[in-house]
Amino acid sequence: MPLQLILHLDLQGRNAAAQARRAARAHLVTAAEDDGGYLPPLTMDTALLLISELVTNAVRHTSGGCLLEVRLASEGIDIEVTDTSDAEPEPRRPDRRGEGGWGWHLVNRLGTDVGIHHHAAGGKTIHVRVPR
């Protein structure tokens, strides 16, 4: 894949997830077109869902917002969300009444190469790949 552009987006506040989805969709569409390849709709939808979950959790459970990085690679879509907290996500029992608990389960079920990197200066980066 000749094009290796990465979307970098600083996010915070209640509209962070919506802003992340819009920017990621535009970036991925352009990257796929520039690559001459096809990005299956299910891959795009899965990536946008995981981006939304990771950004929402970073903004909701940490201070200082987060940084989203998205890159289209030959293997899939690499997503990284960096936040200010050292705490790792903990799976919760999903609430069927809409009170949350689904996000970390979705990330681990729909993504591959899920990993958490802690930074010496504090904070962490969560990485996930959505296979193409």
Side-chain angles (χ1 to χ4, degrees), residues 50-122:
L50 298 188
I51 287 167
S52 186
E53 291 295 337
L54 290 170
V55 167
T56 296
N57 286 343
V59 170
R60 181 178 293 158
H61 299 294
T62 70
S63 62
C66 65
L67 170 68
L68 169 68
E69 295 186 344
V70 178
R71 179 175 65 90
L72 180 62
S74 58
E75 305 84 25
I77 300 169
D78 288 318
I79 302 164
E80 291 189 342
V81 175
T82 301
D83 64 44
T84 58
S85 173
D86 293 327
E88 293 197 11
E90 292 188 23
R92 295 186 311 156
R93 182 175 199 175
D95 186 318
R96 296 188 188 277
R97 294 170 292 159
E99 298 297 319
W102 296 97
W104 193 237
H105 295 288
L106 288 171
V107 169
N108 284 282
R109 177 69 122 180
L110 300 176
T112 62
D113 300 329
V114 177
I116 302 171
H117 172 75
H118 291 273
H119 303 282

Side-chain angles (χ1 to χ4, degrees), residues 16-57:
Q19 183 182 359
R21 285 190 305 273
R22 281 191 304 272
R25 179 184 299 279
H27 172 75
L28 291 168
V29 165
T30 300
E33 287 172 357
D34 289 348
D35 181 42
Y38 171 71
L39 190 58
L42 182 58
T43 302
M44 173 73 84
D45 291 347
T46 301
L48 295 176
L49 174 63
L50 298 188
I51 287 167
S52 186
E53 291 295 337
L54 290 170
V55 167
T56 296
N57 286 343

